[in-house]
Amino acid sequence: MTDLMGRGPLGLKGAKPPKPPRKPMKASGPKTTKLRTAAKGQPCTLRLPCCNSNPETTSLSHIRAFGWAGTAEKPMDFLAVFACSDCHDALDRRRNGELWGWDDVTRALGETLIAQHRMGNLIVA
Ligand SMILES: [Zn+2]
């Protein structure tokens, strides 16, 4: 039995209104870029005491500082250094006790930018 509004008996819930469609997840950046691809096989520019000096493990290690990227975001690819897997772990603080300083990172960033420029991946006007 329904009332004049078409509602059922008191105490019974009607069907739930449909949920609004979910927003799509924020698009993440590309997994592979020219600057990231270029890192493979390059010598490590950080060269921390933990460095494994194996260019086969080198990848582009992003510098997460100064608000250059939001939470769960990577900074732009030119704010990154060529780092072997062990130095990359140290820079991202996944390696306990490995100390590094901003002088190491600044030197590595400069060396990486020069290398990327020489490979034609960065165009400087
Ligand atoms: Zn290294």
Side-chain angles (χ1 to χ4, degrees):
M1 177 179 235
T2 60
D3 65 10
L4 295 175
M5 297 291 288
R7 295 176 295 204
L10 287 175
L12 294 178
K13 293 182 178 178
K16 290 183 179 178
K19 291 182 178 178
R22 295 177 71 167
K23 291 179 185 172
M25 288 179 61
K26 187 176 178 182
S28 59
K31 298 282 184 217
T32 302
T33 65
K34 195 175 191 179
L35 298 182
R36 294 179 195 182
T37 303
K40 273 284 172 208
Q42 293 298 313
C44 180
T45 59
L46 267 176
R47 299 186 298 277
L48 300 173
C50 64
C51 188
N52 64 35
S53 303
N54 182 357
E56 294 304 310
T57 70
T58 299
S59 63
L60 199 62
S61 178
H62 293 80
I63 301 167
R64 299 172 189 275
F66 313 115
W68 286 346
T71 304
E73 288 179 341
K74 286 184 177 179
M76 295 176 143
D77 282 349
F78 54 81
L79 300 172
V81 300
F82 292 158
C84 71
S85 56
D86 288 339
C87 289
H88 193 159
D89 286 347
L91 184 63
D92 285 354
R93 306 207 188 274
R94 291 188 294 259
R95 190 180 183 92
N96 285 340
E98 187 65 33
L99 297 177
W100 53 263
W102 289 109
D103 52 339
D104 298 312
V105 177
T106 305
R107 176 186 42 75
L109 178 61
E111 290 182 18
T112 300
L113 289 172
I114 290 168
Q116 293 277 25
H117 177 61
R118 287 184 176 153
M119 288 187 269
N121 297 332
L122 287 177
I123 297 169
V124 181

